[in-house]
Every structure is written in structure tokens, then in C-alpha cells.
């Protein structure tokens, strides 16, 4: 909260920090929800429900990056997720139900939750939490179960690609911001230089590959929008270009928005606006028509 300095010290000022023309009345109040993953683990999330919704509409899963993060029931203290919260609010204002999933690997739920077995390149156990979120949305009365998509950046992009690759039956479209798509290419950076001498190096590489979206492209059916800065220092740009070639070979519908000279955490405000606008336009096109069976 802002303050002013007076003769008696600091005096707090209750003040609206939004500009006068900010559409604050259109914001929804996210609801905390809890649902169980396939293995029985309780997963927490924030549910954004559109106001005055009269019929079933489209829905989206949002997965954060990090993955050592936790999404909140309000504006986030990190710029990247402050922007994502605003985006989820905007999506809700245009008719999308949004479920932000605090999947395992995140923080503030204990050590076992933060460091689960068989996760990341060792089995991607965290992905089952995304599937559980999708099934949670399918069961909601205000959601068309045939119009569920997902989006996210960085590790959230990784899980977006996983959802489309493994479960195009649930997720009908996705927007993947600079996600990791092949863990096997990262393995040499995480192990000693003499890793080739390890007796199980082949098994480790195979496991890393199978824990990645690229291992399941033959079952990928849903359209995707890839967004990536070509000067990304966190996730190499090739993670997107390589996956695009595999999808092209599978005749999967994809779109690309490549931002020249941008890094992982976009530096320019106009680029944030551009990529979020492209995200909304993509979902409006891909999830607009209902396949619901009456």
C-alpha cells in the first residue's frame, strides 16, 4: 500500500492503484477448488467463472511455469504471473471458464509435493494433475466438455504440449509459450561429463524422451499455437522448431508466433499485448463451435 511521509511518520493511504479507465467491474473473484489426481493426491487450483453465463461455454486449463511456483487467488507478486492472472481474468470476462492448476512440483504444499517421485524427465508424474484438472472441468455444469483447451508458459508450455500430445481427446486446442518438448536434449547439461560411461545412460535418455511431448506426437490431433522468442536463453528456440517439424509430418494443425530478438520473459510491453491478443484470437477460432451432443 502506498504511503506519504508526514511529521508523525509514515501515514498509509488507502488508494486504488488502477487507472481510472481500468475495467475493474469486469473482474471475477476466483474460487479455490480442490480435486484429486489419478493417484489420489489432492490438487489445488483457482477457478475463474464467467459472470452471467447462461449456457455451457468453453473452458481452459492454465499451468504455470517454474515449476517452483504457486498461483494465487489474486494478483501475483511476480510480473510474469501478474500478467498471466490478468490474462485469465480477461478470458473469464469473454466467456471462458479458467482453471489455474497448482500441480505437483510447485511450492507451499510441503516437501513431498515439491519433490515428487517420477517427475519431470524421470516420468512426468506431474502431468496426471493436468488431466485431473481437465476432468474436473468436464464435470462442471457450465462447461461444454467438448470445448476444453489449455495454455501456459515455460514449464506450463511443456505441460500444454503434453496435454495435446497425450490427450487430444480432452484438450481440443492449446497455446504453448516457449515450452520444453524434449527432455532428452537437456540431459547432458544435468549430468557429469563422463555420463557416457554410466551403465544406465541409455535407459536414462530413453526415459527422458518418453517423459516428453515429442514421444507422443503420433496421438497429437488438436491444433496448437506456438509462441517463442528467438533469443530465448532459458528454453532454446529449437525446442519449438523441432516439434513443429514433427507435427508437420503428422499433418497436425499448428500456428506460430515467433518474436524476433525476444528472450524467455518477454521484455517489451507491446510483445506481451501481442502474444496475449494472439492467444485469445486463437482460442476464439478453435473453441468457438460447440460439439456438445444434446
Amino acid at each position: 500500500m502506498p504511503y506519504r511521509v508526514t511529521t508523525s511518520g509514515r501515514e498509509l493511504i488507502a488508494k486504488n492503484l488502477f487507472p481510472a479507465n481500468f475495467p475493474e467491474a469486469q473482474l471475477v473473484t476466483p474460487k479455490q477448488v480442490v480435486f484429486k489426481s489419478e493417484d489420489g493426491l489432492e490438487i489445488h487450483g483457482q477457478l475463474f467463472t464467467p459472470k452471467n453465463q447462461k449456457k455451457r461455454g468453453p473452458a481452459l486449463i492454465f499451468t504455470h511455469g517454474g515449476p517452483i511456483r504457486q498461483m494465487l487467488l489474486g494478483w501475483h507478486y511476480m510480473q510474469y504471473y501478474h500478467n498471466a492472472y490478468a490474462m485469465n481474468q480477461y478470458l473469464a470476462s469473454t466467456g471462458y471458464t479458467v482453471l489455474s492448476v497448482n500441480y505437483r512440483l510447485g511450492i507451499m504444499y510441503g516437501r513431498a509435493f515439491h519433490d515428487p517421485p517420477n517427475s519431470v524427465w524421470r516420468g512426468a508424474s506431474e502431468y496426471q494433475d493436468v488431466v485431473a484438472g481437465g476432468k474436473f472441468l468436464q464435470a462442471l455444469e457450465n462447461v461444454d466438455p467438448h470445448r476444453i483447451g489449455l495454455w501456459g508458459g515455460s514449464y506450463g508450455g511443456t505441460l500444454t504440449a503434453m496435454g495435446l500430445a497425450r490427450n487430444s481427446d480432452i484438450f481440443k486446442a492449446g497455446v504453448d509459450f516457449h515450452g520444453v518438448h524434449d527432455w532428452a536434449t537437456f540431459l547432458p547439461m544435468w549430468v557429469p561429463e563422463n555420463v557416457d560411461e554410466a551403465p544406465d545412460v541409455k535407459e536414462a535418455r530413453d526415459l527422458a524422451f518418453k517423459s516428453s511431448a515429442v514421444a507422443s506426437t503420433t496421438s497429437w490431433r488438436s491444433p496448437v499455437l506456438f509462441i517463442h522468442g528467438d533469443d530465448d536463453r532459458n528454453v532454446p528456440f529449437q525446442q519449438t522448431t523441432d516439434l513443429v517439424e514433427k507435427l508437420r509430418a503428422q499433418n497436425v494443425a499448428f500456428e506460430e508466433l515467433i518474436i524476433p530478438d525476444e528472450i524467455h520473459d518477454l521484455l517489451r510491453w507491446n510483445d506481451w499485448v501481442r502474444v496475449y491478443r494472439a492467444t485469445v484470437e486463437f482460442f476464439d477460432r478453435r473453441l468457438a463451435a460447440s460439439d456438445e451432443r444434446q
Side-chain angles (χ1 to χ4, degrees):
M1 184 176 292
Y3 62 87
R4 64 189 176 200
V5 178
T6 66
T7 55
S8 59
R10 293 178 177 178
E11 178 183 338
L12 293 176
I13 305 172
K15 179 180 178 182
N16 191 339
L17 298 181
F18 293 122
N21 62 346
F22 186 82
E24 191 172 0
Q26 297 181 32
L27 299 180
V28 302
T29 301
K31 176 185 176 183
Q32 178 175 307
V33 294
V34 181
F35 51 92
K36 286 191 176 181
S37 199
E38 185 179 14
D39 62 358
L41 186 65
E42 286 193 343
I43 305 300
H44 293 247
Q46 305 84 47
L47 185 66
F48 299 74
T49 303
K51 294 181 178 181
N52 304 317
Q53 190 176 10
K54 294 183 174 60
K55 61 180 181 179
R56 288 186 171 188
L60 299 169
I61 291 282
F62 169 72
T63 46
H64 61 77
I68 47 173
R69 305 282 183 261
Q70 182 194 44
M71 297 301 98
L72 310 171
L73 289 166
W75 298 96
H76 205 273
Y77 50 87
M78 291 181 63
Q79 176 199 0
Y80 192 102
Y81 302 109
H82 185 93
N83 293 344
Y85 179 83
M87 178 62 167
N88 287 331
Q89 282 281 359
Y90 179 76
L91 288 164
S93 76
T94 61
Y96 291 88
T97 297
V98 183
L99 175 62
S100 173
V101 177
N102 280 344
Y103 55 89
R104 71 191 75 189
L105 293 176
I107 58 173
M108 305 305 292
Y109 296 102
R111 175 63 183 272
F113 191 94
H114 169 58
D115 190 18
N118 307 317
S119 58
V120 196
W121 67 270
R122 297 178 179 87
S125 63
E126 67 278 6
Y127 172 65
Q128 62 190 304
D129 305 339
V130 179
V131 176
K135 292 180 178 179
F136 175 88
L137 286 175
Q138 285 180 325
L140 295 181
E141 293 183 354
N142 68 310
V143 169
D144 181 345
H146 303 285
R147 288 194 286 164
I148 296 176
L150 72 174
W151 79 282
S154 196
Y155 210 96
T158 298
L159 291 173
T160 293
M162 291 278 285
L164 300 174
R166 294 187 177 185
N167 286 104
S168 282
D169 58 323
I170 299 175
F171 305 113
K172 302 304 182 180
V175 178
D176 172 352
F177 284 69
H178 42 236
V180 173
H181 307 130
D182 185 357
W183 287 120
T185 62
F186 283 80
L187 208 55
M189 296 186 288
W190 298 336
V191 294
E193 293 182 1
N194 61 347
V195 64
D196 289 331
E197 301 174 10
D200 60 348
V201 62
K202 182 181 184 302
E203 289 79 1
R205 287 171 177 159
D206 287 346
L207 180 58
F209 178 78
K210 291 176 182 177
S211 303
S212 307
V214 291
S216 302
T217 53
T218 56
S219 58
W220 189 317
R221 296 289 180 270
S222 298
V224 60
L225 168 61
F226 292 108
I227 297 176
H228 212 146
D230 69 359
D231 194 24
D232 194 324
R233 319 290 177 86
N234 298 57
V235 176
F237 182 48
Q238 288 75 16
Q239 287 286 316
T240 290
T241 58
D242 290 350
L243 179 54
V244 161
E245 290 306 308
K246 290 177 172 60
L247 296 184
R248 194 191 308 273
Q250 293 289 131
N251 294 316
V252 174
F254 68 88
E255 301 176 29
E256 296 177 90
L257 176 52
I258 308 305
I259 314 297
D261 303 321
E262 264 290 15
I263 62 171
H264 194 67
D265 190 353
L266 304 179
L267 292 173
R268 294 185 289 266
W269 172 83
N270 62 322
D271 285 336
W272 280 108
V273 174
R274 180 184 177 191
V275 300
Y276 278 168
R277 180 176 290 126
T279 296
V280 175
E281 291 173 353
F282 175 82
F283 282 133
D284 284 350
R285 283 185 280 111
R286 296 297 185 172
L287 298 179
S290 173
D291 295 324
E292 183 179 357
R293 306 296 187 262
Q294 301 295 332

